[in-house]
Amino acid sequence: RVSLLIYTGPDGEKAWPKKYPFCGGVFQSPIDFHKDILQYDSNLLPLEFIGYNVPSTDQFTLINNGHSVKMYLSPTMYIRNLPFEYTASQLHLHWGNRNKSEGSEHTVSGKHFAAELHIVHYNSEKYPDVTAAMDKSDGLAVLAILLEIGPFNPFYEKIFRHFRNVKYKDQMVQVPGFNVRELLPDRLDEYYRYEGSLTTPPCYPSVLWTVFRHPVKISQDQASLNTPTHILISWISLAFLDDPEPLEMVDNFRNVQEFHERLVFISFR
Ligand code: SG5
Ligand code: ZN
């Protein structure tokens, strides 16, 4: 049986620190962005995305590992305008469930968004791969995109349309390359920046977070909220455990963490 990442109940996130001490430590993520902790920083430039326009002749591997689904990115994709050069590793999503449209990890003034996309990068100037980087304080940079319900989003559909083919554990498909920049909001200049952690065990405090201020819209159908007939073809309940007893993977977001004595820097006033 695969080890399931559990968010609620006796083995839920409150119990993570027992096995994973970092989860009870400092610099934890996600957090709530509220005005008392925000500080404008004029040095925060828009990030530059190199190699993000991936030709359709290249492929991304999309895989269901039994507790979530992730898409490996191309090692030719990297970000500039951070303290180091960070190379793309994979992207994944956090979401809620059909009955409530709250699945984001970060919140803004206490408000959740429907879901949150994470694009994980590692410091390729100092470390050979994401595994070597993930427990180092300057190891990772994650971009977070808040998702809300709106019109159909053709760019996210380039991923979502393949989810029906990775419904079960260990299924894998190849996704034709596309411009990953199109998953990001139009405005790249406005974002929250802080030093935090992985939002899942082992919760290493190794992540330089960039959370874009402006959410991106996907449709209700794409999110599958309140549309049980779409369950089979969308990301909301993709992650099944071993057959024959499939279990929906829902509400895979961590609650916001305490943020004492720290500041979030913002690129906007
Ligand atoms: C998800 O979030 C990801 C992890 C990721 C953590 O649990 O899981 C998936 O996408 C399904 C496998 O990614 C992996 O396990 C791939 C190595 O952990 C990492 O990215 C470690 C470097 C935590 O990442 S997050 O803080 O951005 N949420
Ligand atoms: Zn994540």
Side-chain angles (χ1 to χ4, degrees), residues 92 94 105 118 199:
H92 62 267
H94 301 264
E105 298 213 294
H118 288 160
T199 65

Side-chain angles (χ1 to χ4, degrees), residues 234-266:
S234 95
W235 50 270
I236 195 120
S237 57
L238 265 178
F240 288 72
L241 292 177
D242 307 344
D243 292 333
E245 267 194 84
L247 189 73
E248 279 190 345
M249 182 66 183
V250 292
D251 294 322
N252 62 353
F253 61 91
R254 187 187 196 189
N255 282 302
V256 294
Q257 304 296 300
E258 295 211 25
F259 198 68
H260 18 230
E261 321 266 318
R262 288 195 278 161
L263 286 176
V264 172
F265 299 97
I266 52 176

Side-chain angles (χ1 to χ4, degrees), residues 3-190:
S3 75
L4 176 59
L5 180 55
I6 298 176
Y7 285 86
T8 53
D11 296 324
E13 56 182 290
K14 291 245 158 37
W16 291 355
K18 277 187 268 172
K19 262 176 82 179
Y20 305 99
F22 283 112
C23 298
V26 293
F27 294 110
Q28 289 298 289
S29 295
I31 57 168
D32 177 50
F33 301 125
H34 55 277
K35 71 171 183 348
D36 305 344
I37 60 164
L38 303 181
Q39 181 166 300
Y40 173 68
D41 181 348
S42 62
N43 296 316
L44 293 178
L45 301 173
L47 301 181
E48 276 184 51
F49 301 97
I50 319 294
Y52 264 51
N53 193 357
V54 177
S56 59
T57 46
D58 288 5
Q59 315 228 289
F60 301 124
T61 299
L62 184 71
I63 184 166
N64 178 342
N65 74 345
H67 60 260
S68 183
V69 73
K70 70 181 162 188
M71 195 176 88
Y72 287 104
L73 296 169
S74 162
T76 56
M77 296 169 56
Y78 65 96
I79 311 179
R80 274 205 304 239
N81 271 350
L82 285 171
F84 299 93
E85 210 166 86
Y86 289 85
T87 296
S89 169
Q90 49 98 358
L91 62 75
H92 62 267
L93 292 141
H94 301 264
W95 59 80
N97 68 56
R98 252 163 292 129
N99 303 312
K100 76 177 196 294
S101 61
E102 296 184 344
S104 70
E105 298 213 294
H106 290 92
T107 58
V108 178
S109 303
K111 177 187 180 294
H112 273 278
F113 290 77
E116 188 168 324
L117 175 77
H118 288 160
I119 312 182
V120 180
H121 298 72
Y122 70 95
N123 179 343
S124 46
E125 275 184 50
K126 290 184 71 169
Y127 308 108
D129 54 42
V130 69
T131 311
M134 67 190 284
D135 61 347
K136 310 300 190 299
S137 64
D138 56 1
L140 302 179
V142 181
L143 307 181
I145 295 98
L146 302 165
L147 301 180
E148 64 181 17
I149 303 302
F152 178 83
N153 186 315
F155 306 113
Y156 276 74
E157 193 64 14
K158 291 177 185 181
I159 305 174
F160 293 164
R161 63 191 294 270
H162 298 278
F163 280 5
R164 72 189 73 186
N165 299 321
V166 289
K167 242 181 75 178
Y168 298 102
K169 181 174 175 295
D170 298 329
Q171 282 183 324
M172 190 193 283
V173 290
Q174 297 301 118
V175 176
F178 60 89
N179 189 353
V180 179
R181 164 70 183 82
E182 290 167 336
L183 302 176
L184 307 179
D186 290 338
R187 290 195 64 165
L188 298 175
D189 57 324
E190 299 198 333

